[in-house]
Amino acid sequence: MLTNFNLHIGTKIKFRRLELGLTQTKVALAIQVTFQQIQKYEKGINGVSALRLLQLAKYLKVPVTYFYEGYSEYQIPKEPTVITVKEAVNEV
């Protein structure tokens, strides 16, 4: 399952990179890794750390949640549930 997740994120990285017309080398330089590392991310060989995911999101101009979209194990809530302090106290 973890390898599926790595592959999913890698596919999203590659799609967005190509959409923007960027090379692996340009992306690598922007987040201070080697282009080989970008290749490994894109192929799902290596997982992407939280820090690198933030860097990639910023450079590729997408929200971090972009990388999770379409992954079957992850569902983004349509509307966040917000309760007030008064409601929380009444529940206790």
Side-chain angles (χ1 to χ4, degrees):
M1 178 156 130
L2 189 55
T3 55
N4 289 340
F5 183 65
N6 291 342
L7 186 56
H8 175 81
I9 287 186
T11 301
K12 298 288 278 188
I13 292 168
K14 184 175 183 178
F15 179 82
R16 183 63 178 157
R17 176 179 64 76
L18 294 174
E19 192 173 51
L20 295 175
L22 300 170
T23 64
Q24 290 176 333
T25 301
K26 281 188 178 183
V27 175
L29 289 171
I31 66 166
Q32 300 178 326
V33 297
T34 63
F35 81 90
Q36 292 96 333
Q37 183 67 324
I38 299 299
Q39 286 177 331
K40 290 177 182 181
Y41 290 156
E42 290 184 357
K43 291 179 181 178
I45 295 168
N46 287 3
V48 183
S49 73
L51 173 61
R52 292 285 182 232
L53 205 58
L54 283 171
Q55 291 172 324
L56 284 163
K58 183 177 179 182
Y59 186 69
L60 298 175
K61 298 180 176 97
V62 293
V64 173
T65 55
Y66 164 82
F67 298 107
Y68 295 88
E69 291 170 358
Y71 186 66
S72 61
E73 300 296 317
Y74 178 75
Q75 297 295 324
I76 299 173
K78 293 190 178 149
E79 276 190 41
T81 303
V82 178
I83 62 170
T84 65
V85 173
K86 184 177 178 181
E87 290 170 329
V89 170
N90 287 338
E91 288 182 12
V92 175

